[in-house]
Amino acid sequence: MTGADDWYRLSPRTIERERDVAKTARKNAVESDPKRPAGAPRPIAGAAPVEADAAARDDTEIIALDLPPEPPTPAIEAYFAKCEEKLGFVPNVLKAYGFAMPKLEAFAAMYNDLMLAPSGLSKLEREMVAVAVSSHNRCYYCLVAHGAAVRQLSGDPVLGELMAMNYRAARLSKRHRAMLDFAVKLTAEPWAVEEDDRARLREAGFSDRDIWDISAVAAFFNMSNRVASATDMRPNKIYHSQAR
Amino acid sequence: MTGADDWYRLSPRTIERERDVAKTARKNAVESDPKRPAGAPRPIAGAAPVEADAAARDDTEIIALDLPPEPPTPAIEAYFAKCEEKLGFVPNVLKAYGFAMPKLEAFAAMYNDLMLAPSGLSKLEREMVAVAVSSHNRCYYCLVAHGAAVRQLSGDPVLGELMAMNYRAARLSKRHRAMLDFAVKLTAEPWAVEEDDRARLREAGFSDRDIWDISAVAAFFNMSNRVASATDMRPNKIYHSQAR
Amino acid sequence: MTGADDWYRLSPRTIERERDVAKTARKNAVESDPKRPAGAPRPIAGAAPVEADAAARDDTEIIALDLPPEPPTPAIEAYFAKCEEKLGFVPNVLKAYGFAMPKLEAFAAMYNDLMLAPSGLSKLEREMVAVAVSSHNRCYYCLVAHGAAVRQLSGDPVLGELMAMNYRAARLSKRHRAMLDFAVKLTAEPWAVEEDDRARLREAGFSDRDIWDISAVAAFFNMSNRVASATDMRPNKIYHSQAR
Amino acid sequence: MTGADDWYRLSPRTIERERDVAKTARKNAVESDPKRPAGAPRPIAGAAPVEADAAARDDTEIIALDLPPEPPTPAIEAYFAKCEEKLGFVPNVLKAYGFAMPKLEAFAAMYNDLMLAPSGLSKLEREMVAVAVSSHNRCYYCLVAHGAAVRQLSGDPVLGELMAMNYRAARLSKRHRAMLDFAVKLTAEPWAVEEDDRARLREAGFSDRDIWDISAVAAFFNMSNRVASATDMRPNKIYHSQAR
Amino acid sequence: MTGADDWYRLSPRTIERERDVAKTARKNAVESDPKRPAGAPRPIAGAAPVEADAAARDDTEIIALDLPPEPPTPAIEAYFAKCEEKLGFVPNVLKAYGFAMPKLEAFAAMYNDLMLAPSGLSKLEREMVAVAVSSHNRCYYCLVAHGAAVRQLSGDPVLGELMAMNYRAARLSKRHRAMLDFAVKLTAEPWAVEEDDRARLREAGFSDRDIWDISAVAAFFNMSNRVASATDMRPNKIYHSQAR
Amino acid sequence: MTGADDWYRLSPRTIERERDVAKTARKNAVESDPKRPAGAPRPIAGAAPVEADAAARDDTEIIALDLPPEPPTPAIEAYFAKCEEKLGFVPNVLKAYGFAMPKLEAFAAMYNDLMLAPSGLSKLEREMVAVAVSSHNRCYYCLVAHGAAVRQLSGDPVLGELMAMNYRAARLSKRHRAMLDFAVKLTAEPWAVEEDDRARLREAGFSDRDIWDISAVAAFFNMSNRVASATDMRPNKIYHSQAR
């Protein structure tokens, strides 16, 4: 539980950065905000009036429940500071859990272990699972936040769209197709997942530990998708323009 | 069948432009191409290898069927020229139909009448229906192409994402919610649409003619989604970066 | 766009008849009307009262929307005359579109190209696709109208019933089973249609052009089924007794 | 268990006929056979070859299981004679059960009690439930056999089609709509039927005994549909032309 | 139709007992009642109040319909006496049908033939089909009553749980897996059961007669599940503690 | 994060017992083991052979993945000791996570906070949500383990069965029905959960914090169900006989 690569563990220790992620993220954050006002398309004159800005309140009214925040614990304070430093903002999902520190700590510990700790799956692969699962569940929050992550980690904006829209339309390696087929079947009809399904992952080169990780990430987003949908959680506006 | 606003009718007549759409489209087309090489996020070192560019072949291998193009009729030649002039490119769906001029003409005639001709529904509303239906059907082509249209016509990039991901998460007027509920029910379980459903549209202020138009647009995309899925139709790459 | 076999194109040109279809149709039309009053089964005395005649208003109240007809264009006038001549009546779907000539022209152009123009699929095969798709979507209008077409084109009344009730119960050639499996999968879960599905059609002897045609017909009826359900479209009464 | 109206009970007693049903049935049987060879539509020259007659073997290969018939018991012999006398033929479902007399007796006893014994539901209403349930389950045998019964009992050929295709498209009394909504919900998602559903039937005027009868008929056809589908049971050809 | 093993036929004949079933049943019945008051877990102090006893009224208010019982026929009187003697109680489903002797007789005749008469399937196998089907249909009555039967006939309490919860999680022989896959597919999508499905049963060693029996039992519980759900039928309380 | 009631937090601190839960659990554990060999039903002679004991390997082969355990951290060692002391055994799910201490710690922290920490929902209510969700997902592990918890916490064995089989069949207070309807809708179609659904919970007396807790518990079991199904996780045998 120690070491330079463990920043995502909830503790006030000094931690190294995952430099590339952070740089890309900050760059997008910085660039996109000033650029959007200038570059944003203007409504066509005469178009039927819709809400002036669909995401207007997304960074202030994060969930549809009235749950006043608790004072952050020191570990969470340090974690939020890291988020600001590395991402340029605190993801709304963390703010949503901010009404109860033990819940936020438990969520962040599990999330960080699953998505950032060493694994036979690359971070991009875990994000691909996250988005394909969230697409099945049509979860607005997770599609926006993790769609941005796929774009960022892959450097390929279209891959993010494919995961969010229909992973079957993507031209994937056998490995990635097997991974996503398993994750989405586990999402759609968990009762029908059996040895044959695990065998297909092994044939595609995945170890038993990899199978756990695919399962655990897919399962985690089945949880997160439902917390987000149940509470009408809104993604940070900045995600939309990241890594396009 | 005449008049300056009828450019979308298949004929070699002189036609006026819908200026704002065209301008925005060209601007995006021009800006986005040179900007992307510079601004595109770079893959994180060490990320698991995915296909270098998910959309690499999307503008050359448009469908998965081998159907050599027919020589265009004069009407289609003029139509393609209009597309180039107004959009900066010919949508891949039109190229896909290019193996049989009567099919292309019939498709274009119906599409243009539905989406561009005068109607009680604004063009943006028709595109919202198109994207919400395509989201239910998880149609990659239509989500990309018409998601861009919603972003462009609304000037609100997030609205396009909401239509593509889950229209129920959007904060919509009563009118728009009723419109999309009808369109998506008609998509998901057409056998269950009845007088009550039409009554709900009337209560939301829609005329009988509007009900036809909502139905016809929703129905049309239930067709287009299936032609696209059956043939693995790929959207023009340029759509991805438009109006973000 | 010319030639004796092109009567279904919307134009005032002189056109040849598809004699056999027409003869059968007229014969049925003529025979069935006078016969029905005489031969129709009488309600059992004492049976619980149902609406005296389920189709009583079907030829007068064609859809549940109030959309006054436009004066027909010359092309449509000629087309309706052809319908009367060849079928003995104008199909209600055409009357339903009669409130807007451009819509009717676009619909008829697409329909006629798909269902009547030369294709690797016989007309009967296209009608079988139409009915199997309409059965999945439980579309009353299309099951009645195109069920009659299958009966007529095949000369086999039971084949029409099988397509309308459950195509899987029919004893079909490998070719026809593959064709209908594809069409119904495309109807039920278009997002899951992939290269494997196209490969199965090729194995059954279909060309790439045939695959397009199967897809396009299936897709078209996914549109038509929804227009019909959305508007409560009623089939011409005469269909029910045709080719029994 | 006695009385002139009890012919459908399995016993060698003398029994009265249900005259109207029998007359209509015999009339149809007689009329339709000679007429069909003459009046049947002929295949269009050049149509793609389908099986020459979709129902060719339907009256000889009744199920897809090889189960040699047992010698009939006297009660069954009498019952079959009644069928011949009243209907003009023995329904194939009875022949299918003929490999085991106790199974056939049990089936016939339950069927006859449900469909023919006195009830708050008319015989037509019970047949409407049968067909609407069979339509949900897409059961070829039951749709054909009981579709004919609806046409016959109602004297309205279109009502039979509506029940088989989509009962929601029929113009029904409140009573009949409530009855069919209950039956089809019980078919589609029995786990979700609750007091509210029963209350809706009571509001439509049904007694508790009627609710039992609707439930029992709907449930019975959920059984029969599955026996028929599991064994590929084929309906007697004669049904197709009855009461059209 | 004669012989010592035929007690389940509805007749006043002397019949032999199936000794082991009866002994186990009575033993459980006797043991469990006095034991439960003593051994039953007590609610935790402070737990949120739920209905004091979920099954409190289950043996008095058997269904949600008000249908006063008819006087039993002699055959039924004898049958009920047998139930008391062999099981220690009369199953509530029989009491539920008690408002109409012909219905009860027909139900009991079919049930007994299917579940108790000689068959290539053991009684346990038939009960496994019953429970797996009832699990798909989430039928409370049948899961409780037939879950107890699986526990009893197998002597394995866990097998009953597995059938009721998810048969796919049980470690089954190829024979039993094929049997349950067929039964559950027939339950979930009867329209899709075809020759391939029957072939899979034959490969697993089932005869054509066995296929009928699997189908008939699965079909019967699709009926019973729906009668039970439609009427809110409650299982005898005693089942819950049997053979645990 | 301190206090006598916090035993479930992962720390080596001295903690108070939840006496009643523990006592009941131990009592059941002790009683049931010796009792079962004596009281367990014996297989009927001649019954078709099934696996001698469906749960034979459930306590040794906990999941279908080969993941050797890590040495426990001190916190986990203490936690396991607590489990032994309070429950009489370590739940298999915890052993399953034992290959990676950070994953186990994160899981246990989240689980304990959700299910045991103070909340507007009683522990029984949270277990009811857990079982109703697991029933929808047909998760063998969670139905067994948490079904036992409902039996234990309620002192009502039948309530556990109802939650596992079909919560709609239980006679619930308005509060509990609303709670479970929300949890199961969130499970089945999270994309459709909206303000109306939250409003229904508020009408049933739940606070915004309660809504979070219902959502979080339902979401958590959507995760756990999928980890269990993906890995074929087997419940401790002892659960089956607890609190019957």
Side-chain angles (χ1 to χ4, degrees):
Chain A
M1 259 209 216
T2 58
D5 209 37
D6 273 2
W7 75 270
Y8 50 80
R9 294 287 164 72
L10 288 174
S11 72
R13 275 176 241 138
T14 311
I15 41 186
E16 283 294 311
R17 296 180 196 173
E18 293 192 307
R19 285 184 203 277
D20 292 330
V21 178
K23 263 187 211 158
T24 309
R26 270 203 315 281
K27 190 153 144 291
N28 274 290
V30 170
E31 270 174 15
S32 64
D33 251 7
K35 194 182 65 202
R36 287 294 303 290
R42 287 284 133 253
I44 308 304
V50 214
E51 297 235 346
D53 178 353
R57 292 167 291 155
D58 281 6
D59 285 339
T60 51
E61 300 175 22
I62 291 167
I63 60 172
L65 303 177
D66 186 20
L67 298 173
E70 268 191 0
T73 59
I76 289 298
E77 209 158 54
Y79 184 49
F80 278 21
K82 285 290 158 209
C83 290
E84 289 282 3
E85 179 192 334
K86 290 158 134 323
L87 308 174
F89 60 94
V90 176
N92 283 352
V93 66
L94 300 178
K95 292 189 192 157
Y97 274 91
F99 71 93
M101 286 301 117
K103 291 183 195 305
L104 174 48
E105 287 182 357
F107 175 84
M110 185 177 282
Y111 175 85
N112 289 335
D113 172 73
L114 276 173
M115 299 304 281
L116 303 175
S119 159
L121 306 178
S122 73
K123 284 171 193 163
L124 172 56
E125 286 172 331
R126 288 177 266 180
E127 292 288 354
M128 288 166 73
V129 168
V131 181
V133 165
S134 302
S135 173
H136 181 88
N137 289 332
R138 304 185 187 277
C139 175
Y140 178 57
Y141 184 93
C142 297
L143 283 169
V144 169
H146 294 277
V150 169
R151 296 195 302 269
Q152 215 152 50
L153 287 166
S154 67
D156 183 357
V158 176
L159 187 67
E161 298 297 274
L162 279 159
M163 293 301 102
M165 289 168 176
N166 186 352
Y167 78 93
R168 297 170 200 85
R171 286 154 178 158
L172 297 169
S173 64
K174 193 193 160 191
R175 171 182 170 90
H176 287 160
R177 182 60 195 252
M179 175 182 81
L180 297 178
D181 279 347
F182 186 92
V184 170
K185 182 175 179 181
L186 187 60
T187 299
E189 36 175 10
W191 50 82
V193 172
E194 293 192 64
E195 192 56 27
D196 281 357
D197 300 292
R198 288 182 290 271
R200 234 164 277 131
L201 286 181
R202 289 192 187 100
E203 280 159 31
F206 289 104
S207 70
D208 275 25
R209 171 59 199 273
D210 296 341
I211 296 175
W212 177 281
D213 287 359
I214 295 170
S215 304
V217 172
F220 179 84
F221 280 90
N222 271 285
M223 176 177 72
S224 282
N225 292 170
R226 284 173 174 86
V227 171
S229 292
T231 62
D232 193 25
M233 196 180 287
R234 316 304 294 188
N236 306 59
K237 282 186 66 170
I238 193 176
Y239 285 124
H240 292 288
S241 55
Q242 283 184 329
R244 291 288 179 188
Chain B
M1 257 205 216
T2 58
D5 209 37
D6 272 2
W7 74 273
Y8 48 79
R9 293 288 164 73
L10 288 175
S11 73
R13 272 178 240 137
T14 312
I15 43 189
E16 282 295 310
R17 296 180 196 172
E18 292 192 305
R19 287 180 202 281
D20 291 331
V21 178
K23 263 186 213 158
T24 308
R26 270 203 316 279
K27 186 150 147 292
N28 275 288
V30 171
E31 270 174 14
S32 63
D33 250 10
K35 193 181 65 202
R36 290 294 303 288
R42 287 285 131 254
I44 308 306
V50 213
E51 298 235 346
D53 178 352
R57 293 169 290 157
D58 281 7
D59 285 340
T60 51
E61 302 177 18
I62 290 166
I63 60 171
L65 303 177
D66 187 19
L67 297 173
E70 267 190 0
T73 58
I76 289 297
E77 209 158 54
Y79 184 48
F80 277 22
K82 286 289 158 210
C83 290
E84 289 282 3
E85 180 192 332
K86 288 158 136 323
L87 309 173
F89 60 94
V90 175
N92 284 350
V93 66
L94 300 179
K95 292 187 191 160
Y97 275 92
F99 71 93
M101 286 300 115
K103 292 183 194 306
L104 174 47
E105 288 181 355
F107 175 83
M110 187 179 282
Y111 176 84
N112 289 336
D113 173 72
L114 277 173
M115 300 303 282
L116 302 175
S119 161
L121 306 178
S122 75
K123 283 170 194 164
L124 173 56
E125 287 172 330
R126 287 177 266 179
E127 292 288 353
M128 288 167 72
V129 169
V131 180
V133 164
S134 302
S135 174
H136 181 88
N137 288 331
R138 302 184 187 281
C139 175
Y140 178 56
Y141 184 93
C142 298
L143 284 169
V144 169
H146 294 276
V150 170
R151 297 196 300 270
Q152 215 152 49
L153 289 166
S154 67
D156 183 357
V158 177
L159 186 68
E161 298 298 273
L162 280 159
M163 293 300 103
M165 289 169 174
N166 187 351
Y167 79 92
R168 296 170 200 86
R171 285 155 179 158
L172 298 168
S173 64
K174 192 192 161 195
R175 170 182 172 90
H176 286 160
R177 182 59 194 252
M179 173 182 81
L180 296 178
D181 279 347
F182 187 92
V184 170
K185 180 174 181 184
L186 187 61
T187 298
E189 36 174 9
W191 50 83
V193 171
E194 294 191 63
E195 192 55 28
D196 281 357
D197 301 291
R198 287 182 290 271
R200 234 165 276 129
L201 287 181
R202 290 193 187 99
E203 281 159 33
F206 290 104
S207 70
D208 275 24
R209 170 61 199 272
D210 296 339
I211 296 176
W212 178 282
D213 286 358
I214 294 170
S215 304
V217 171
F220 180 85
F221 281 90
N222 271 286
M223 177 178 70
S224 281
N225 291 171
R226 284 173 174 87
V227 170
S229 291
T231 61
D232 193 25
M233 197 179 287
R234 318 300 296 186
N236 305 59
K237 284 187 65 170
I238 194 175
Y239 285 125
H240 292 289
S241 55
Q242 284 183 330
R244 293 286 181 190
Chain C
M1 259 209 214
T2 59
D5 210 39
D6 272 3
W7 74 270
Y8 48 81
R9 294 288 164 72
L10 288 173
S11 72
R13 272 177 242 138
T14 311
I15 43 187
E16 283 295 310
R17 297 181 193 170
E18 293 192 306
R19 287 184 203 277
D20 291 331
V21 178
K23 264 184 212 157
T24 309
R26 268 202 316 278
K27 189 153 144 292
N28 274 288
V30 171
E31 273 175 12
S32 64
D33 251 7
K35 195 182 65 204
R36 287 295 304 291
R42 286 285 134 255
I44 309 305
V50 214
E51 297 236 347
D53 179 351
R57 292 169 289 156
D58 282 6
D59 285 338
T60 50
E61 302 176 19
I62 292 168
I63 60 171
L65 303 177
D66 186 19
L67 297 173
E70 268 191 358
T73 58
I76 289 297
E77 211 157 53
Y79 183 50
F80 277 21
K82 285 288 157 210
C83 290
E84 290 282 2
E85 178 192 334
K86 289 156 135 322
L87 308 174
F89 59 94
V90 175
N92 283 351
V93 65
L94 299 178
K95 291 189 192 157
Y97 275 91
F99 71 93
M101 286 301 116
K103 292 183 196 305
L104 174 48
E105 288 182 355
F107 176 83
M110 186 178 281
Y111 175 84
N112 289 336
D113 173 73
L114 277 173
M115 300 304 282
L116 302 176
S119 160
L121 307 177
S122 73
K123 282 169 196 167
L124 173 56
E125 286 173 330
R126 288 177 265 179
E127 291 289 352
M128 289 167 71
V129 168
V131 181
V133 164
S134 302
S135 174
H136 181 87
N137 288 332
R138 303 183 187 280
C139 175
Y140 178 57
Y141 184 93
C142 297
L143 284 169
V144 169
H146 294 277
V150 169
R151 295 194 302 269
Q152 215 151 50
L153 288 167
S154 67
D156 183 357
V158 177
L159 186 68
E161 298 297 276
L162 280 159
M163 293 301 103
M165 288 169 174
N166 187 351
Y167 79 93
R168 297 170 200 86
R171 286 155 179 158
L172 297 169
S173 64
K174 193 194 159 192
R175 171 183 170 91
H176 287 161
R177 181 60 193 253
M179 175 183 81
L180 296 178
D181 279 347
F182 186 92
V184 170
K185 180 173 180 183
L186 187 61
T187 299
E189 36 173 11
W191 50 83
V193 172
E194 293 192 66
E195 191 55 29
D196 281 358
D197 301 291
R198 287 182 290 270
R200 235 165 276 132
L201 286 181
R202 289 191 188 101
E203 282 159 30
F206 290 105
S207 70
D208 275 26
R209 171 59 200 273
D210 296 339
I211 296 175
W212 178 282
D213 286 358
I214 294 170
S215 305
V217 172
F220 179 85
F221 281 90
N222 271 286
M223 176 177 72
S224 281
N225 291 170
R226 284 173 175 86
V227 171
S229 292
T231 61
D232 192 25
M233 196 179 287
R234 318 301 295 187
N236 305 59
K237 283 187 66 171
I238 194 175
Y239 285 125
H240 292 288
S241 55
Q242 284 185 328
R244 292 287 179 190
Chain D
M1 259 209 215
T2 58
D5 210 37
D6 272 2
W7 74 272
Y8 49 79
R9 291 287 164 74
L10 288 175
S11 74
R13 269 177 244 137
T14 310
I15 44 189
E16 282 295 312
R17 297 184 195 168
E18 294 191 305
R19 288 180 202 280
D20 292 330
V21 177
K23 262 185 215 159
T24 308
R26 268 204 315 282
K27 185 149 146 294
N28 275 288
V30 170
E31 271 175 13
S32 63
D33 250 9
K35 194 183 64 205
R36 288 295 304 291
R42 288 285 134 255
I44 307 306
V50 214
E51 297 235 348
D53 179 352
R57 293 169 290 156
D58 281 7
D59 284 340
T60 51
E61 302 176 20
I62 290 166
I63 60 171
L65 303 176
D66 186 19
L67 298 173
E70 268 190 0
T73 59
I76 288 297
E77 213 158 51
Y79 184 48
F80 277 21
K82 285 287 159 212
C83 290
E84 290 282 3
E85 180 191 333
K86 290 157 136 322
L87 308 174
F89 60 94
V90 176
N92 284 350
V93 66
L94 300 178
K95 292 188 191 159
Y97 274 92
F99 70 93
M101 286 301 116
K103 291 184 195 306
L104 173 48
E105 289 181 356
F107 175 84
M110 187 178 281
Y111 176 85
N112 289 335
D113 173 73
L114 277 173
M115 300 303 282
L116 302 175
S119 161
L121 306 177
S122 74
K123 283 170 195 165
L124 172 56
E125 286 172 330
R126 287 177 267 178
E127 293 289 352
M128 288 166 72
V129 169
V131 181
V133 164
S134 302
S135 174
H136 182 88
N137 288 332
R138 302 184 186 280
C139 176
Y140 178 56
Y141 184 93
C142 299
L143 284 168
V144 170
H146 295 277
V150 170
R151 296 195 301 268
Q152 215 151 51
L153 289 166
S154 67
D156 183 357
V158 177
L159 187 68
E161 299 297 274
L162 280 159
M163 293 300 104
M165 289 169 174
N166 187 351
Y167 79 93
R168 297 171 200 86
R171 285 155 179 159
L172 297 168
S173 64
K174 193 193 160 192
R175 170 182 171 90
H176 287 161
R177 181 60 193 251
M179 174 182 81
L180 297 178
D181 279 346
F182 187 91
V184 170
K185 181 175 180 181
L186 188 61
T187 298
E189 37 174 10
W191 51 83
V193 171
E194 294 192 63
E195 192 55 29
D196 281 357
D197 300 293
R198 287 182 290 271
R200 235 164 276 129
L201 287 180
R202 290 193 187 99
E203 280 159 32
F206 290 104
S207 71
D208 276 24
R209 171 61 200 273
D210 297 339
I211 297 176
W212 178 282
D213 286 358
I214 295 170
S215 304
V217 171
F220 179 85
F221 281 90
N222 271 286
M223 177 178 71
S224 281
N225 292 170
R226 283 172 175 87
V227 171
S229 292
T231 62
D232 193 24
M233 194 179 289
R234 316 303 295 187
N236 306 57
K237 283 186 65 170
I238 194 176
Y239 285 126
H240 292 289
S241 55
Q242 284 184 329
R244 292 287 180 189
Chain E
M1 257 208 216
T2 59
D5 210 38
D6 271 2
W7 74 271
Y8 50 80
R9 293 287 163 73
L10 288 175
S11 72
R13 272 176 242 140
T14 311
I15 42 184
E16 282 295 309
R17 298 181 193 173
E18 293 192 304
R19 288 184 200 277
D20 292 330
V21 178
K23 264 187 212 156
T24 308
R26 271 203 314 279
K27 188 151 146 294
N28 274 290
V30 171
E31 271 175 13
S32 64
D33 251 8
K35 195 181 68 207
R36 287 295 304 290
R42 287 284 133 254
I44 308 307
V50 214
E51 297 234 348
D53 178 352
R57 293 168 289 155
D58 281 7
D59 285 339
T60 50
E61 301 176 21
I62 291 167
I63 59 170
L65 303 177
D66 186 20
L67 299 173
E70 268 191 0
T73 59
I76 288 297
E77 212 158 53
Y79 183 50
F80 277 20
K82 285 289 157 208
C83 290
E84 289 284 3
E85 178 192 334
K86 290 158 134 321
L87 308 174
F89 60 95
V90 176
N92 283 350
V93 66
L94 300 177
K95 292 189 193 157
Y97 275 91
F99 70 94
M101 286 300 117
K103 292 182 195 306
L104 174 48
E105 288 182 355
F107 176 84
M110 186 179 281
Y111 176 86
N112 289 336
D113 173 72
L114 276 173
M115 301 303 282
L116 302 174
S119 160
L121 306 178
S122 74
K123 283 171 194 165
L124 173 55
E125 287 172 330
R126 287 176 268 180
E127 292 288 353
M128 288 167 72
V129 169
V131 182
V133 165
S134 302
S135 174
H136 181 87
N137 288 333
R138 304 184 184 280
C139 175
Y140 178 57
Y141 183 93
C142 297
L143 284 168
V144 169
H146 294 277
V150 170
R151 295 195 303 268
Q152 217 152 48
L153 288 167
S154 66
D156 183 357
V158 177
L159 187 67
E161 299 296 274
L162 280 158
M163 292 302 102
M165 289 167 174
N166 186 352
Y167 78 94
R168 297 170 200 86
R171 284 154 180 159
L172 297 169
S173 65
K174 193 194 160 191
R175 171 181 169 89
H176 287 161
R177 181 60 193 252
M179 175 182 81
L180 297 178
D181 279 348
F182 186 92
V184 171
K185 181 175 179 181
L186 187 60
T187 299
E189 34 173 13
W191 50 82
V193 171
E194 293 191 64
E195 191 56 28
D196 281 358
D197 300 292
R198 289 182 289 271
R200 234 165 276 131
L201 287 181
R202 291 193 187 100
E203 281 160 30
F206 290 104
S207 70
D208 274 25
R209 171 61 199 273
D210 296 340
I211 296 175
W212 178 281
D213 286 358
I214 295 170
S215 304
V217 172
F220 179 85
F221 280 91
N222 271 286
M223 176 178 71
S224 281
N225 292 169
R226 284 174 175 86
V227 171
S229 292
T231 62
D232 193 26
M233 197 179 286
R234 316 303 294 187
N236 305 59
K237 282 187 66 172
I238 193 176
Y239 285 125
H240 292 289
S241 56
Q242 284 184 328
R244 291 286 180 191
Chain F
M1 259 209 215
T2 59
D5 209 38
D6 272 1
W7 74 271
Y8 49 80
R9 293 288 164 72
L10 288 174
S11 73
R13 272 177 241 137
T14 312
I15 45 189
E16 282 296 310
R17 298 180 195 173
E18 294 191 303
R19 286 181 203 279
D20 291 330
V21 177
K23 262 186 213 158
T24 309
R26 268 203 316 281
K27 186 150 144 296
N28 274 290
V30 170
E31 271 175 14
S32 63
D33 250 10
K35 192 182 64 199
R36 288 296 304 288
R42 287 286 132 255
I44 308 307
V50 214
E51 298 237 346
D53 177 352
R57 293 168 291 157
D58 281 6
D59 284 341
T60 51
E61 301 175 20
I62 291 167
I63 60 171
L65 302 177
D66 186 21
L67 298 173
E70 267 191 0
T73 59
I76 288 297
E77 211 158 53
Y79 183 49
F80 278 21
K82 285 289 157 210
C83 290
E84 289 282 3
E85 180 192 332
K86 288 157 135 323
L87 308 174
F89 60 93
V90 176
N92 284 351
V93 64
L94 300 177
K95 291 187 192 158
Y97 274 91
F99 71 93
M101 285 302 115
K103 291 182 195 308
L104 173 47
E105 289 182 356
F107 176 83
M110 187 178 282
Y111 176 84
N112 290 336
D113 172 73
L114 276 174
M115 300 303 283
L116 303 175
S119 161
L121 306 177
S122 73
K123 283 170 195 166
L124 173 56
E125 287 172 330
R126 286 176 268 180
E127 293 288 353
M128 288 167 72
V129 168
V131 181
V133 165
S134 302
S135 174
H136 180 88
N137 288 331
R138 303 185 186 280
C139 176
Y140 178 57
Y141 184 93
C142 298
L143 284 169
V144 170
H146 294 277
V150 170
R151 296 195 300 270
Q152 215 151 48
L153 289 166
S154 67
D156 183 357
V158 177
L159 187 67
E161 298 298 273
L162 280 159
M163 294 298 104
M165 289 167 175
N166 188 352
Y167 79 93
R168 296 170 200 86
R171 285 156 179 158
L172 298 168
S173 64
K174 193 193 161 192
R175 169 182 171 91
H176 287 160
R177 182 60 194 252
M179 174 183 81
L180 296 178
D181 279 347
F182 186 92
V184 170
K185 181 175 181 182
L186 188 60
T187 299
E189 36 174 9
W191 51 82
V193 172
E194 294 191 64
E195 192 56 28
D196 280 357
D197 301 291
R198 288 183 289 271
R200 235 164 276 131
L201 288 181
R202 289 192 188 100
E203 281 159 31
F206 291 104
S207 71
D208 275 25
R209 171 60 199 272
D210 296 339
I211 296 175
W212 178 281
D213 286 359
I214 294 170
S215 304
V217 171
F220 180 85
F221 280 90
N222 271 286
M223 177 177 71
S224 282
N225 290 171
R226 283 173 175 86
V227 171
S229 291
T231 62
D232 193 25
M233 196 178 288
R234 316 303 296 187
N236 306 59
K237 282 186 67 170
I238 194 175
Y239 285 125
H240 292 289
S241 56
Q242 284 184 331
R244 292 288 179 188

